[in-house]
Amino acid sequence: MTETESIAYDVVVLGAGPVGENVADRTRAAGLTTAVVESELVGGECSYWACMPSKALLRPVIAQADARRLPGLAQAVQGPLDTAAVLARRNYFTSNWKDDGQVGWLDGISADLYRGHGRLAGPRTVTVTGPDGTLTTLTARHAVAVATGTRAQLPHLPGLAEVKPWTSREATSAQEAPGRLIVVGGGVVATEMATAWQALGSRVTLLVRGKGLLNRMEPFAGELVAEALKEAGVDVRTGTSVTSVTRENGTVVAVTDAGDRIEGDEILFATGRVPHTDDIGLDTVGLEPGSWLTVDDTLLVEGTDWLYAVGDVNHRALLTHQGKYQARIAGDTIAARVSDTPLLDGAWGAHAATADHEAVPQVVFTAPEAAAVGLSLAEAEQAGYRVRAVDVEFSSVAGAGLYADDYKGRARMVVDLEAEILRGVTFVGPGVGELIHSATIAVAGQVPISRLWHAVPSYPTLSEVWLRLLEAYRG
């Protein structure tokens, strides 16, 4: 191993996914010299193995499901999807797993890219072991930002490694549809991949340990998604745990706690995420390797004045868009601290990631879609708010009937009865993903119910569900 001289920057960023890129963008915009370290592809998990490929797989599935509800079009789309064409389009949206474009973007903002494995080597110091073994030492005058994300968590089952199970990476990058796919889990990855691969020709069995799907959302979200998955042909089994997995002559055999033996060609474990912090030198700065990094609202790691943890690694909200939001906050905060500009770190200030607490939006791209922002009814009650849930069916909205025959969906808003604002909103139904930003504005902006009454939705659109919700609340 050869070593180069130490190179100094104002800021060093560990991880060049969307979060790390956004930190670099904000620090460079402030005129701070910035180095970015990446051991895999610039663009990170979201670009190659998560958001982009999964949504490219799901878009034709959702479009076909919508089309089949429209007379005059339904008969034309009854055949199977062209799986090869869907996968080819997915490959396009991942840039065929090449990062030239993303590297060009970093060059465009004049951030320096170091390829290799980066590790902390004490305060404000990062060593990078390059692909050729060359060791480069980077020192940060002001800040190091950890944006290394998470990786899939696999259960402790004997012999699992020999089975070569799928994680989210294999599920979003597979080049052909397995004949039979076993999916273990009931969250976003599990439901989205069950939706996609069932439509692309796989026979899917979904094994869920809990009572239902999407347990971080309102209960009706998981119920409506489960009902649709069953109608699509997925074998959904709740209250089921996998006790052993083997691969026999190429066939995966999963045995459940009920003694059922389920066979498949592949098995996907979508059973959670763990922080990618086990080998980034946390021990050299007094932190526990492999741990989540606890931060304040400026994204500064507790107990330090130079280390930031941004995105999934801080465990605040494991979503790309929320990580990018944190990155904008962190980058601007670093710049403010460098220039001795007063910090606006109070709630909803320019240097506080306040939305992480009670205004996080998310869309699950199943068919139907499930979208939510803020707190569920149970979360709001647990937080001590005096709230009321208001529910309406989308069947009461003219735009839903026009969108598709037999449109099935539900909306809920959780109203803070004392402040007369919304603490949370959930939509489930075809096309509702594009509605959620209106709810995000209402929740993050703490718009009073009295003012929302004057926000008139256009007729006849799905957005008229807002009027139905407000009418139901006002009585």
Side-chain angles (χ1 to χ4, degrees):
M1 180 180 294
T2 57
E3 184 171 356
T4 65
E5 62 181 340
S6 177
I7 306 172
Y9 288 89
D10 292 323
V11 180
V12 177
V13 182
L14 276 179
V19 175
E21 288 176 325
N22 272 265
V23 174
D25 188 41
R26 299 310 302 157
T27 56
R28 285 297 303 127
L32 302 178
T33 58
T34 303
V36 182
V37 182
E38 177 54 55
S39 61
E40 292 188 287
L41 296 177
V42 175
E45 199 79 13
C46 175
S47 299
Y48 307 104
W49 301 286
C51 314
M52 294 304 290
S54 66
K55 277 54 190 181
L57 289 173
L58 286 158
R59 179 60 198 141
V61 177
I62 294 170
Q64 184 186 56
D66 287 347
R68 285 177 171 174
R69 296 186 182 92
L70 289 172
L73 181 58
Q75 293 304 312
V77 293
Q78 285 305 311
L81 289 168
D82 183 338
T83 300
V86 173
L87 296 180
R89 184 172 184 267
R90 183 273 320 272
N91 293 351
Y92 168 79
F93 274 98
T94 63
S95 302
N96 290 292
W97 291 275
K98 295 180 181 178
D99 64 2
D100 299 18
Q102 304 258 17
V103 171
W105 181 86
L106 278 180
D107 288 342
I109 65 168
S110 298
D112 291 347
L113 172 65
Y114 290 84
R115 290 192 182 274
H117 181 68
R119 298 183 83 258
L120 292 166
R124 296 183 176 85
T125 304
V126 173
T127 58
V128 183
T129 304
D132 62 356
T134 299
L135 187 68
T136 303
T137 299
L138 307 176
T139 58
R141 299 184 188 94
H142 303 292
V144 174
V146 176
T148 49
T150 59
R151 65 176 185 276
Q153 181 178 40
L154 289 170
H156 298 292
L157 290 174
L160 184 59
E162 288 72 28
V163 173
K164 296 182 178 178
W166 278 11
T167 66
S168 53
R169 284 198 169 195
E170 290 77 19
T172 56
S173 63
Q175 294 299 320
E176 61 182 22
R180 301 163 299 172
L181 176 63
I182 304 167
V183 180
V184 182
V188 177
V189 173
T191 53
E192 287 189 347
M193 291 298 94
T195 299
W197 288 110
Q198 177 72 29
L200 291 170
S202 300
R203 190 164 74 251
V204 176
T205 302
L206 181 61
L207 306 179
V208 187
R209 183 173 58 183
K211 295 179 180 179
L213 307 180
L214 303 176
N215 62 11
R216 293 179 182 235
M217 287 186 164
E218 299 285 8
F220 67 82
E223 291 166 6
L224 289 171
V225 169
E227 181 181 327
L229 284 170
K230 292 174 184 177
E231 289 176 358
V234 176
D235 180 2
V236 180
R237 307 187 191 187
T238 57
T240 301
S241 295
V242 175
T243 57
S244 69
V245 181
T246 56
R247 191 181 287 271
E248 303 170 5
N249 299 319
T251 297
V252 175
V253 179
V255 178
T256 72
D257 52 355
D260 295 329
R261 177 184 168 96
I262 303 167
E263 295 187 352
D265 297 292
E266 300 292 350
I267 185 167
L268 162 63
F269 281 92
T271 49
R273 309 287 296 180
V274 293
H276 222 318
T277 61
D278 53 314
D279 190 23
I280 62 167
L282 291 183
D283 54 307
T284 69
V285 293
L287 296 170
E288 181 68 27
S291 65
W292 302 101
L293 297 177
T294 303
V295 298
D296 64 17
D297 277 357
T298 69
L299 291 312
L300 189 67
V301 175
E302 289 186 353
T304 77
D305 62 1
W306 59 274
L307 184 63
Y308 293 75
V310 192
D312 286 5
V313 289
N314 61 40
H315 207 235
R316 286 163 69 105
L318 277 66
L319 296 160
T320 296
H321 49 269
Q322 211 67 22
K324 290 164 70 173
Y325 159 73
Q326 294 175 9
R328 296 189 293 271
I329 299 290
D332 289 348
T333 299
I334 292 167
R337 284 179 168 141
V338 170
S339 63
D340 288 326
T341 300
L343 286 187
L344 302 174
D345 57 356
W348 305 109
H351 306 118
T354 312
D356 286 350
H357 302 298
E358 294 188 357
V360 175
Q362 180 174 22
V363 179
V364 184
F365 291 85
T366 45
E369 294 173 349
V373 62
L375 305 179
S376 67
L377 174 61
E379 289 170 336
E381 290 175 336
Q382 187 176 12
Y385 295 115
R386 189 168 67 88
V387 292
R388 172 187 164 196
V390 180
D391 293 1
V392 298
E393 301 296 320
F394 270 94
S395 57
S396 66
V397 178
L402 289 167
Y403 189 98
D405 285 3
D406 301 318
Y407 187 108
K408 184 182 292 185
R410 187 179 303 170
R412 168 175 287 181
M413 65 180 189
V414 178
V415 182
D416 184 322
L417 296 174
E418 295 178 0
E420 280 273 298
I421 60 175
L422 303 185
R423 292 297 176 185
V425 180
T426 299
F427 300 127
V428 182
V432 299
E434 295 300 333
L435 291 182
I436 199 61
H437 193 57
S438 60
T440 302
I441 291 169
V443 173
Q446 299 184 343
V447 182
I449 292 286
S450 59
R451 181 56 62 87
L452 284 175
W453 184 249
H454 295 280
V456 183
S458 297
Y459 179 87
T461 65
L462 290 175
S463 291
E464 208 174 15
V465 73
W466 279 107
L467 179 55
R468 300 286 92 85
L469 285 165
L470 292 167
E471 288 173 336
Y473 176 69
R474 290 165 69 101

